[in-house]
Amino acid sequence: MHVFSVDGVPAVLWTPAGDDRTGATPLIFIGHGGGQHKQHPAVQYRAERFVAAGFAVVSADIPNHGDRAPDERLNQLAGTVGDIARFQALAAEQTVPEWQAVIDAVHARIGAGPVGYWGVSAGCGLGVPFVAADPRVRAAVLGLGGASANAAVAARITVPVEFLIQWDDERVPREQSLALFDALGSVDKTLHANPGGHSDRLPEHELDSQVRFFTRHLIPTESR
Amino acid sequence: MHVFSVDGVPAVLWTPAGDDRTGATPLIFIGHGGGQHKQHPAVQYRAERFVAAGFAVVSADIPNHGDRAPDERLNQLAGTVGDIARFQALAAEQTVPEWQAVIDAVHARIGAGPVGYWGVSAGCGLGVPFVAADPRVRAAVLGLGGASANAAVAARITVPVEFLIQWDDERVPREQSLALFDALGSVDKTLHANPGGHSDRLPEHELDSQVRFFTRHLIPTESR
């Protein structure tokens, strides 16, 4: 595990041991959730599963989280449910270029392989504009987020998406979730919905499915 | 492949070669779609994938299909879109006991292992009452069917379900599909939605997912 920072943005990189594939290691960027940080157990857990499957994984603290200095402007929005969309829109103005710079730095270190994005909840709110903006991203797991924040931007996404809904989400209305999936411009998109609330643990088979999803789209057949 | 019949119901059984697991072979019953039959290519294709994964597979002609004699009462309903629910309700009165007898016959031949059910479209309309009625069924793939026919019966299903929706289904309204998923009584249920119309080919990764779903629920960990 390699902790670093790019222009003041704290980030962490996990790389697989003994990668003997030809070509650059595929990279998954994990966008953490609200209230979490780049090494939160929920991030670490997924990172380890992806690394075991042959991916490098990078995550970065989003504004006002983790090792970053408090941002009063964002702070005022962060706790207010009705302002989540505004918080994410404001934060995304920062995170899109920040995450692109983080990927530049990782590519300079391990080689410029294909990139995947994983992010739900705030990681979806910030992930939608990021995936739409960066053509290096070839596949994305998104979800637990609604259309109100992001429908127009989502329409610009064309890469394969695996989209998660918690069927009993008390924070994102079901119709909003379905509408965001509907808005995605991707031809290859799959919705996975499971019973449970916004913060309930996702079924383990979903992480298995995500490993296969990224493998299918980021690792050439002959290298699997 | 073994073609047989039980009380006049034509059926076909595929079994895996060289099954060296201890215990009885797990069995998947495939309910074919409307206009198809027990050896339709769509059935055969899935059967071969399941057999390769270690399952026995059985399918049976539904009333008024395949090698069965025409049934005038059903025939009058079959072609009429608005009468699909009535057709399925009437047909299910026959298919539930017929399929139970088919499973009895297969179990007598290969041993009474755990049973899974796979059926979409008409195979969902007939599958919901079957899965609800037969406690030998431990897991089911259902979908491309709506709540109007089956919501009350679906609430009695408690086994794990993987439920498929074609996002642009022109025959089953999206709200009807979502309502049938919602109605399922199962604690462990996952909705998989993909772009496409009612009769469009399902993505190949869905069949991969179904193999893993049945493996997870029908094959003991130590035998996989």
Side-chain angles (χ1 to χ4, degrees):
Chain A
M1 197 183 67
H2 168 60
V3 178
F4 63 110
S5 80
V6 180
D7 299 333
V9 176
V12 58
L13 174 68
W14 294 265
T15 45
D19 188 354
D20 57 359
R21 275 194 307 267
T22 53
T25 307
L27 175 68
I28 297 173
F29 191 109
I30 296 184
H32 67 74
Q36 301 183 348
H37 59 84
K38 68 183 179 308
Q39 283 161 284
H40 186 277
V43 175
Q44 182 100 23
Y45 180 71
R46 290 186 176 83
E48 286 171 4
R49 278 297 306 279
F50 292 140
V51 166
F55 297 94
V57 175
V58 65
S59 185
D61 288 333
I62 68 173
N64 220 24
H65 285 70
D67 297 327
R68 297 184 70 156
D71 178 323
E72 274 314 312
R73 204 174 45 144
L74 288 172
N75 228 354
Q76 285 167 9
L77 294 172
T80 325
V81 172
D83 282 328
I84 284 181
R86 280 178 63 207
F87 171 85
Q88 289 179 357
L90 198 59
E93 290 176 19
Q94 294 180 52
T95 51
V96 170
E98 284 174 1
W99 293 358
Q100 292 188 305
V102 166
I103 289 177
D104 291 343
V106 173
H107 277 178
R109 183 182 174 99
I110 67 167
V115 178
Y117 179 81
W118 191 100
V120 300
S121 192
C124 176
L126 300 176
V128 166
F130 173 65
V131 174
D134 196 318
R136 294 173 297 188
V137 177
R138 308 250 198 100
V141 172
L142 298 165
L144 281 61
S148 63
N150 269 327
V153 183
R156 301 208 308 268
I157 292 179
T158 57
V159 296
V161 173
E162 200 161 282
F163 189 86
L164 291 160
I165 291 183
Q166 289 288 84
W167 199 242
D168 312 297
D169 196 320
E170 71 287 1
R171 284 176 54 189
V172 185
R174 193 181 293 169
E175 302 69 36
Q176 280 286 314
S177 296
L178 295 168
L180 182 53
F181 173 71
D182 200 42
L184 290 164
S186 313
V187 173
D188 180 348
K189 59 181 178 180
T190 302
L191 168 63
H192 285 191
N194 294 282
H198 189 81
S199 303
D200 286 348
R201 194 181 171 84
L202 295 166
E204 195 62 21
H205 62 75
E206 291 295 352
L207 184 50
D208 296 338
S209 176
Q210 292 156 16
V211 167
R212 289 185 302 266
F213 171 78
F214 283 126
T215 299
R216 212 154 64 226
H217 295 294
L218 302 182
I219 300 182
T221 310
E222 66 274 17
S223 304
R224 285 175 204 166
Chain B
M1 198 183 68
H2 168 60
V3 178
F4 62 110
S5 79
V6 179
D7 299 332
V9 176
V12 56
L13 173 69
W14 295 265
T15 45
D19 188 354
D20 56 0
R21 274 194 307 266
T22 52
T25 307
L27 175 68
I28 296 172
F29 191 109
I30 296 184
H32 68 73
Q36 300 184 348
H37 59 85
K38 67 183 179 308
Q39 282 160 285
H40 186 277
V43 176
Q44 182 100 23
Y45 180 72
R46 291 189 175 83
E48 287 171 3
R49 280 297 305 281
F50 292 139
V51 166
F55 298 92
V57 176
V58 66
S59 186
D61 288 333
I62 68 174
N64 218 26
H65 285 69
D67 297 327
R68 297 183 70 155
D71 178 322
E72 276 314 311
R73 203 175 46 145
L74 289 171
N75 229 355
Q76 286 168 6
L77 294 172
T80 324
V81 172
D83 281 329
I84 284 181
R86 278 179 64 206
F87 172 85
Q88 290 179 357
L90 199 59
E93 290 175 19
Q94 294 181 53
T95 52
V96 170
E98 285 174 1
W99 293 358
Q100 292 189 306
V102 167
I103 288 177
D104 291 344
V106 173
H107 276 179
R109 184 182 173 96
I110 68 168
V115 178
Y117 179 81
W118 190 101
V120 301
S121 192
C124 176
L126 300 176
V128 167
F130 173 65
V131 173
D134 195 319
R136 293 173 295 187
V137 178
R138 306 249 199 102
V141 172
L142 298 165
L144 281 62
S148 62
N150 267 329
V153 182
R156 300 207 309 266
I157 293 179
T158 57
V159 295
V161 173
E162 200 160 280
F163 189 86
L164 291 160
I165 292 183
Q166 289 289 81
W167 199 242
D168 313 296
D169 196 320
E170 72 287 3
R171 284 176 53 190
V172 185
R174 192 182 293 168
E175 303 66 38
Q176 280 287 313
S177 297
L178 294 169
L180 182 52
F181 173 71
D182 200 44
L184 290 164
S186 312
V187 173
D188 181 349
K189 57 180 178 180
T190 301
L191 168 64
H192 285 192
N194 295 281
H198 188 81
S199 303
D200 287 347
R201 193 179 171 85
L202 296 166
E204 195 61 21
H205 61 75
E206 290 296 352
L207 184 50
D208 295 339
S209 175
Q210 291 156 17
V211 167
R212 288 185 301 266
F213 170 78
F214 284 127
T215 299
R216 213 154 62 227
H217 294 294
L218 301 183
I219 301 184
T221 311
E222 65 275 15
S223 303
R224 287 176 201 166

